[in-house]
Amino acid sequence: MTWTAWIPVLVLLTSLVPAVVILLLPERRERLRTALSLAGAAAKVALVVALVGPVVDGRRPEVRVPFLPDVDLVLRVEPFSLYFLGLSAFLWLVTTVYAVGYLRDHGHHRSRFFGFFSLCVVATSGVALSGNLVTFVVFYELLTLATYPLVAHDQTPAALRGARTYLHYTLVGGVALLLGAVWLTVLIGPVEFADRGSPAVAALAASDPGTLRLVVALMLGGLAVKAALVPVHGWLPKAMVAPAPVSALLHAVAVVKAGVFGIVLVVDMVLGVQVAEDLGVLLPLTVVACVTILWGSVRALAQDGLKARLAYSTVSQVSYVVLGVSLVSATGMTGGVVHIVHQGLMKITLFFCAGLLAQTLGLTRVSQLAGVGRRMPLTCAAFTVGALGMIGIPPVAGFVTKWWLGLGALDAGEPWVLAVLVTSSLLNAAYFLPVVARMWWGKAEAGAVLPRPVGPEAPWTMVTPALVTAGCSIAVALGAGLAFSPLSMARVIVEEGWWP
Amino acid sequence: MSTAEVYLVLGGVVTLLGAVRLLTTRDRLAQVIALNVTGTGTVLVLVALAATGGGEPDPVLHALALTGIVITVSVTGLALVLVRRLDREDDGG
Amino acid sequence: MGDVVLASLLLPLAGAVAAAVAPARRTVAVVTAAGQTVLAVVLAVTVLRDGPVATAPGGWEPPLGIALRVDGVAAAVGLLAAVVVTAVLAHACASPASTGPATEPAAGRSAYWPLTLLTLAGLQAVLVAADLFTTYVALELLTLGAVALVALGGRGAYGPALRYLCLAVLGSFAFLVAVALVYARTGTLTLDLAAAALPPGPALTTALGLATVGLLVKSALFPLHAWLPDAHAAAPTAVSPLLSALVVKGSFVVLLRVWTALGGDAALASVLAVLATGAVAWGGVLALRAAALKRVVAYSTVAQVGYLVLLLPLVTPALAGGDGVAVDVARTAWQGVLLVLLAHGLAKAAMFLAAGTLVGVAGSGRVADLGGTAARAPVVVTAYALAGVCLAGLPPSLGFVGKWALLDAALTGGRWWVVAVLLGGGLLTAAATARVLAATLREPGPGDGPPPGTPHGREEAPGATALPTPRAGERWPALALALLAVVTCVGSAWLADLVLVGAPPGVGG
């Protein structure tokens, strides 16, 4: 066993060790806490980069630990794992920088915050690296538990209510997933993730499709909760009470992403596209995704709270990923997979900006934003990039996604999906463009005079992350054709790994 | 019905009566006494069982009964200590 | 190895005597418990490697002598007991108040140390006893120690202690009659031999029924549980963990042995299935509704006993000579339930220690008054939360491994009601833990209204430092136990193998 085989464990340790140490640190050790968080995040990014070479060479580093006599916990680096891991490692680093700035002046319980923040990343990395269903379930549930204290962070009655709603939804979803996972294990033994699906599952699909359909429905139903598919999306807007870095984590890096990542795993690495289609799982999934896309957008229109609007936007946008993998088309699936990264970059930009506006000027409602562009030009520029990307205007990442999804819909012979995409883009424009317009050209109401700019518009630790992710949202679209762009990676994953 | 079986039934009845009293009364001293009645019934059952085989009674069952009696005595001691403390509590002491 | 078995029995007894007379009773107690842990580790490793260890001290065989035997279950539960007692004693050393109220006469509080070791000796005796007579005596020793420990709670604890004593002794009488019945019919007190000689019939059913009812009173299976919440909640902080984590397990292990040796009974198994379901539901709901923190924890034990009893109906078909699938179900369920038992032991001990400490920190036993304790006692709240995760069977924890195995068994055997019980019970437990956690996170203050200021602009409540915080020795034992309940999920395959060593043939031992 070479040293690369242990990288999966190291990847977990780079956030587990900081998490444990930080949780034990007294509140005043701010420097050490920041240094540990950043060092862990940077080390993780470095490890991910170190993994690229071996994985491209076809190696799949793997670690096994016995769990029950005939079931192992497995961590394995597949291209798709690395893709998700890379996203979460990079965004964690950026979010950590942002959170340091966000909590610097008036934070409380910061050791608890950063400790659980790191623990969340342990869980997300574990989800990414899971080599079988048991391991996935373990880390998926750990993610629920590690995010609860973050959602409840402010300890206000509203925060505790939001956290309780979050816990109720995700625990019940976890129960459905657990039942499906154990049932499948009972039927065919430990379920290893494999390209083009597990052969044992294919055999089961031939012999007992009814039971398999039920099992898959349980698993997808459980995963749908975190992926915030309608009608089990209710926790996401309620969890908006969390601090902005946590919202960024929930919406872009960890929780909803773990949900859609799981759905992609079940469809492509447990069932395989062919089996999934034969079972008739995919069409219902497409319909649910389309309903979610439209419903999220419609609800977003009505929200005046900026973060609430962004939350419903997430409900809608994350379903593009589900839509992509549910289309029986390599092109559509590529669009879905690439949106995992694209949505992450754009949505985290938007949340960073929302946090900046709230923290610096105390602005939390869309109606308060008139003319704020003159006071905080960099923040508003980043917000504009994110918003345009969500609508799907080139040259921002969202355009690439929608292009591939559209092609995929035609390819799969479901032209009606195109109509959904167009409607959704119009709705996106309807709820984002007025915000952008008000920021830049709106007239501040009389009496609501914004403070004059004194020095930089906000701490650099908060502005820089927003600019970086906004820049990345453009770069991934402009450089989509280059090797190692998210699009190229998504194509490799789909065409070499999953497509029959 | 042989003599041993009569005693067996009798033991069962005594045990049952003691148990019912133990579970229904709220008087603490009565509880302790009911506990002892139940214990006596149990011992009666044991001794009767020892004799049901016919011939010489089985000494092992008698040893069991004896142990049961000893344990009941210590249990009664502990119970009485608790009852006394409870009574003192009631008196406000 | 027989000497080690005997030593594991005599060490806590000798320690109890020493702690009763020696001036340095704390040191004696902690050293004894630590020594017992070493012995338990040696026994566990030996049993896992070489199989069960049996011995008859003095060369006297039953029925006159005493036969001792350590199988996988005894080794695993014995290890659990030694670890839990060590941690609890460490807590008690740091916190005199946890051994009883200060209003008690000093003699009462100093009795804590020998009584704890006596209870440990009683449990170890229950675990290693190979014949029914020794088992009966050991069960009584365990009960007497446990009742005396409850009484250390002082005012308010005497009543529950007396009730516990009466019911537990009643259970013992039932068990004693069952033992006598088995002996009268078979002429042996050794379970395996008795099982071979006892044909199915009314005698067997009566003996099994009496033993089951008697032992389940001691283990507090719903609806025979009424004594438990009172006794466990009224006991001092350093006693409740021993009662919930260990004492109720002693009688359960005996029940498991009697049940499997005598081949079970299908009708009785169905009744037990209903009662176990009732226990999980009733305990879960009352834990969710109880106003007092320690009662929340105690009702959770009522629910967990339900999980344990689920095993009996799951193994019964295999005992009756079922097919390969039945044996498969029985084996997986056996592993699952014993892992749940171990997980519950660690987690519940941690939870009761944490709960007792939180009551002290909050200055009130009510869940509603816990506001602000998360800030003042973060380590203790963390221990409580981790324990709750384990009890709810959420990953990563030993409880999750046990639940996974039980779900596996239930699905393999097509027992859908077990699946429903496990999943529903897990949600209830998670909800009860979340309720307590939310209460500890709430800001303290009159009316519990929204605190002033913006969410981020709030300073620590003025005077927060003046409120009590836990001492170091009150924080770490609970956290250590809770962490152990979590990290053992990685080595759980080892434990799952251990509990199968020497298990009855019907469950694939």
Side-chain angles (χ1 to χ4, degrees), chain A residues 23-24 27 65-71 73 102-103 105-109 112 116 133-134 137-142 145 148-149 152-157 160 164 167-168 171-172 175-176 178-179 181-186 214 242-244 359, chain C residues 335 339 374-375 379 382 389 393-397 400-405 407-409 411-412 416 419 423-424 427 430-431 434-435 437-443 448-451 455-460 476 479 489-493 496-497:
Chain A
L23 280 174
L24 297 174
E27 190 63 19
V65 185
F67 169 75
L68 273 171
D70 49 355
V71 187
L73 289 180
Y102 188 90
L103 294 176
D105 293 329
H106 18 240
H108 59 150
H109 307 306
R112 187 177 86 206
F116 282 105
L133 210 45
V134 189
V137 172
V138 168
F139 284 107
Y140 186 84
E141 289 290 301
L142 176 62
L145 302 173
Y148 171 78
H153 182 75
D154 285 338
Q155 300 182 194
T156 57
L160 291 173
R164 196 176 61 189
L167 205 58
H168 286 177
L171 284 179
V172 173
V175 162
L178 175 67
L179 178 55
V182 183
W183 198 353
L184 195 55
T185 307
V186 166
L214 194 54
Q359 199 74 332
Chain C
Q335 290 178 317
L339 289 182
V379 174
T382 307
V389 165
L394 291 170
S397 71
F400 173 72
V401 187
K403 183 157 134 186
W404 181 285
L407 278 174
D408 186 327
L411 285 167
T412 308
W416 283 97
V419 174
L423 297 179
L427 282 180
R435 167 174 169 245
L437 286 186
T440 65
L441 283 168
R442 217 173 24 233
E443 296 293 326
D448 283 325
H456 302 292
R458 199 164 0 94
E459 293 300 323
E460 295 297 330
W476 304 114
L479 186 67
C489 82
V490 173
S492 51
D497 284 338

Side-chain angles (χ1 to χ4, degrees), chain A residues 103-143:
Chain A
L103 294 176
R104 164 157 289 163
D105 293 329
H106 18 240
H108 59 150
H109 307 306
R110 274 168 287 195
S111 284
R112 187 177 86 206
F113 181 89
F114 281 101
F116 282 105
F117 207 63
S118 295
L119 206 56
C120 265
V121 182
V122 178
T124 313
S125 313
V127 164
L129 292 173
S130 303
N132 63 9
L133 210 45
V134 189
T135 319
F136 179 81
V137 172
V138 168
F139 284 107
Y140 186 84
E141 289 290 301
L142 176 62
L143 184 59

Side-chain angles (χ1 to χ4, degrees), chain A residues 401-485:
Chain A
T401 305
K402 290 191 180 175
W403 180 261
W404 283 76
L405 283 178
L407 288 181
L410 293 176
D411 194 22
E414 313 271 4
W416 58 275
V417 171
L418 219 51
V420 172
L421 287 173
V422 171
T423 315
S424 150
S425 296
L426 288 176
L427 287 168
N428 292 347
Y431 66 76
F432 270 131
L433 286 182
V435 181
V436 172
R438 185 168 297 176
M439 277 179 169
W440 294 110
W441 299 293
K443 276 237 168 77
E445 290 166 34
V449 184
L450 293 170
R452 308 296 285 150
V454 187
E457 63 182 60
W460 67 268
T461 42
M462 292 173 70
V463 178
T464 318
L467 291 176
V468 167
T469 49
C472 288
S473 309
I474 298 179
V476 294
L478 290 179
L482 302 176
F484 296 110
S485 75

Side-chain angles (χ1 to χ4, degrees), chain C residues 179-500:
Chain C
V179 170
L181 255 176
V182 168
Y183 179 79
R185 285 284 176 278
T186 64
T188 175
L189 283 165
T190 314
L191 260 179
D192 300 340
L193 301 177
L198 198 61
L204 181 82
T205 314
T206 314
L208 191 61
L210 279 172
T212 305
V213 171
L215 292 166
L216 283 178
V217 170
K218 285 170 175 283
S219 286
L221 178 70
F222 172 87
L224 309 171
H225 68 285
W227 60 268
L228 184 141
D230 293 334
H232 288 198
T237 300
V239 170
S240 316
L242 305 173
L243 301 176
S244 258
L246 305 179
V247 175
V248 294
K249 308 293 164 55
S251 37
F252 174 73
V253 169
V254 175
L255 174 59
L256 206 51
R257 286 188 183 145
V258 173
W259 184 273
T260 48
L262 299 187
D265 181 88
L268 197 51
S270 311
V271 175
L272 288 180
V274 174
L275 297 186
T277 309
V280 172
W282 184 250
V285 169
L286 285 183
L288 202 53
R289 301 177 58 95
L293 178 59
K294 286 187 79 173
R295 291 183 77 85
V296 171
V297 186
Y299 272 114
S300 146
T301 301
V302 173
Q304 295 278 335
V305 169
Y307 286 134
L308 303 184
V309 174
L310 281 180
L311 179 55
L312 302 180
L314 283 174
V315 297
T316 304
L319 297 173
D323 53 2
V325 174
V327 173
D328 219 27
V329 170
R331 188 182 53 237
T332 318
W334 181 277
Q335 290 178 317
V337 161
L338 281 152
L339 289 182
V340 166
L341 186 154
L342 297 174
H344 175 250
L346 292 170
K348 188 48 65 68
M351 194 178 243
F352 253 129
L353 280 183
T357 310
L358 285 178
V359 168
V361 170
S364 155
R366 287 159 44 84
V367 175
D369 297 337
L370 285 175
T373 46
R376 299 211 302 281
V379 174
V380 181
V381 172
T382 307
Y384 191 97
L386 286 177
V389 165
C390 183
L391 292 178
L394 291 170
S397 71
L398 191 57
F400 173 72
V401 187
K403 183 157 134 186
W404 181 285
L406 259 175
L407 278 174
D408 186 327
L411 285 167
T412 308
R415 307 288 192 96
W416 283 97
W417 61 272
V418 176
V419 174
V421 168
L422 287 170
L423 297 179
L427 282 180
L428 283 173
T429 311
T433 308
R435 167 174 169 245
V436 171
L437 286 186
T440 65
L441 283 168
R442 217 173 24 233
E443 296 293 326
D448 283 325
T454 60
H456 302 292
R458 199 164 0 94
E459 293 300 323
E460 295 297 330
T465 47
L467 294 165
T469 54
R471 304 172 201 197
E474 292 176 320
R475 293 179 211 151
W476 304 114
L479 186 67
L481 285 172
L483 279 176
L484 204 55
V486 168
V487 300
T488 36
C489 82
V490 173
S492 51
W494 183 82
L495 285 172
D497 284 338
L498 177 63
V499 296
L500 269 189

